[in-house]
Amino acid sequence: MKDIKHFLRQNSLRPTKQRVIIANYLFDGVNKHVTAETLSNKLLKMKAGISLATIYNTLHDFYEKGLLKKLMINSERIYFDTNTAHHHHFYSKKDQKLIDINVDMKVSGLPKPPKNKKINKIEVLVHLDN
Amino acid sequence: MKDIKHFLRQNSLRPTKQRVIIANYLFDGVNKHVTAETLSNKLLKMKAGISLATIYNTLHDFYEKGLLKKLMINSERIYFDTNTAHHHHFYSKKDQKLIDINVDMKVSGLPKPPKNKKINKIEVLVHLDN
DNA sequence: ATATCAGTTTAGAATCATTCTAATGTATTG
DNA sequence: CAATACATTAGAATGATTCTAAACTGATAT
Ligand SMILES: [Mn+2]
Ligand SMILES: [Mn+2]
Ligand SMILES: [Zn+2]
Ligand SMILES: [Zn+2]
């Protein structure tokens, strides 16, 4: 994708060297679940020496532009998901790995939310044993 | 409950002063969702000066005996749930509050888990807007 | 009861992910 | 090429949690 710069500009983000490298990796067409740490490791392997501060800033900036979703699965790190469509996950604690569930799932028997509250979204997390 | 000491002993926990106070509060019959911080604040109001280290230890010990569940909702703190039955939650980010959903809910359309993996449990989290 | 010992509590230090600070660098626009 | 706004960075700060190691206490045996 050589139009990553367009893509960033369209999202009101300056296409800096670091953002281009990170966006090229994240938005290569394969959905990913990354943490600051896993992204940093990947970038190190690609010989891209991008500071952790920038990695955090960039993940945050992409999140704020709606290019990433945040997943709160695990209290010790934040996962960012390049799949921004509404979907669910398998989670293997053992492997520390998430797998998308893109199939339509339905939740039935949901009670009414408390007074004055509206349902924003329903998240299903399927914990795997093994 | 004056048999909190029995209760603790039955769960291989010495009924120390601190554990009795904490267990009396947590297991008073009303299901609760606490963090180390909210529990500490509650204990302060009850004039029970229990160190944060002990609060963390005790929550952890109760968790390990199966008296509490851990909920990973929010990356900045761990919630402990006195309702150890399988159930789901409403979550208001704004209020930082959890509400139990004890009704039977059914999730349909779930795909098969990946090879060699078994489903442990399904957790539904209903995010509230407001 | 008292002694003994394993288990518990505690203050404070350490850890670790994340955020902040403030100095330096760079993309954009004219 | 300025000028300026925005971005990157190293390192400090933060805050929840865990660890350490010394003092304390509940359980058990004399
Ligand atoms: Mn930011
Ligand atoms: Mn412990
Ligand atoms: Zn996903
Ligand atoms: Zn609950």
Side-chain angles (χ1 to χ4, degrees):
Chain A
M1 328 281 146
K2 214 30 336 124
D3 50 347
I4 274 287
K5 291 190 180 187
H6 273 188
F7 173 75
L8 290 171
R9 280 201 196 89
Q10 278 163 2
N11 286 284
S12 319
L13 293 163
R14 282 195 185 171
T16 63
K17 192 163 43 140
Q18 293 84 345
R19 283 177 180 168
V20 167
I21 292 169
I22 294 175
N24 259 314
Y25 169 65
L26 290 178
F27 309 119
D28 66 358
V30 182
N31 284 329
K32 292 169 180 65
H33 304 102
V34 304
T35 67
E37 196 194 4
T38 64
L39 179 53
S40 175
N41 289 339
K42 193 64 79 172
L43 292 168
L44 283 177
K45 279 185 205 150
M46 299 162 80
K47 308 283 182 197
I50 299 178
S51 75
L52 252 192
T54 298
I55 289 170
Y56 277 108
N57 288 339
T58 301
L59 287 171
H60 224 243
D61 295 344
F62 287 5
Y63 170 73
E64 263 148 20
K65 300 303 180 181
L67 307 180
L68 294 173
K69 286 207 304 188
K70 259 189 212 179
L71 304 177
M72 311 302 194
I73 299 293
N74 184 304
S75 65
E76 54 248 13
R77 64 197 119 264
I78 298 173
Y79 285 89
F80 289 88
D81 193 338
T82 61
N83 181 354
T84 55
H86 182 259
H87 67 286
H88 306 287
H89 293 97
F90 287 117
Y91 175 60
S92 164
K93 183 175 186 157
K94 182 173 154 266
D95 308 351
Q96 297 276 302
K97 220 172 253 175
L98 288 160
I99 299 167
D100 280 354
I101 300 177
N102 287 305
V103 189
D104 266 329
M105 295 201 313
K106 215 164 280 174
V107 176
S108 56
L110 194 69
K112 271 196 285 288
K115 279 273 171 277
N116 303 320
K117 304 271 180 189
K118 256 180 212 150
I119 290 175
N120 176 13
K121 67 171 183 288
I122 299 177
E123 273 189 335
V124 178
L125 184 60
V126 182
H127 293 263
L128 300 173
D129 254 344
N130 206 313
Chain B
M1 329 281 144
K2 218 16 355 114
D3 49 348
I4 275 286
K5 292 189 182 190
H6 274 189
F7 172 75
L8 289 171
R9 280 200 198 89
Q10 278 163 2
N11 286 284
S12 321
L13 292 163
R14 282 193 186 173
T16 63
K17 193 163 41 138
Q18 293 86 345
R19 284 177 179 167
V20 167
I21 292 169
I22 293 175
N24 261 312
Y25 168 66
L26 289 178
F27 308 119
D28 65 357
V30 181
N31 284 330
K32 292 170 181 64
H33 304 102
V34 304
T35 67
E37 197 195 4
T38 64
L39 179 54
S40 175
N41 290 338
K42 192 64 78 176
L43 292 168
L44 283 177
K45 278 184 204 148
M46 300 163 81
K47 307 282 183 201
I50 298 178
S51 75
L52 252 192
T54 298
I55 289 169
Y56 278 107
N57 288 340
T58 304
L59 287 172
H60 225 241
D61 295 343
F62 287 5
Y63 170 72
E64 264 150 19
K65 300 302 181 185
L67 307 178
L68 294 173
K69 284 207 302 186
K70 260 189 210 179
L71 303 178
M72 311 301 194
I73 299 293
N74 183 304
S75 64
E76 55 248 13
R77 64 198 116 261
I78 297 173
Y79 286 89
F80 289 87
D81 193 339
T82 60
N83 181 354
T84 55
H86 182 257
H87 66 287
H88 305 286
H89 293 97
F90 286 117
Y91 175 60
S92 165
K93 182 173 187 163
K94 182 174 156 264
D95 307 351
Q96 297 274 303
K97 218 172 253 173
L98 286 160
I99 300 166
D100 279 355
I101 299 177
N102 287 306
V103 188
D104 266 329
M105 296 202 310
K106 214 162 283 173
V107 176
S108 56
L110 193 68
K112 271 197 284 289
K115 279 276 170 276
N116 302 319
K117 304 274 180 185
K118 256 180 211 150
I119 290 175
N120 177 11
K121 67 169 182 290
I122 299 177
E123 273 189 335
V124 179
L125 183 61
V126 182
H127 293 262
L128 300 172
D129 255 344
N130 208 310

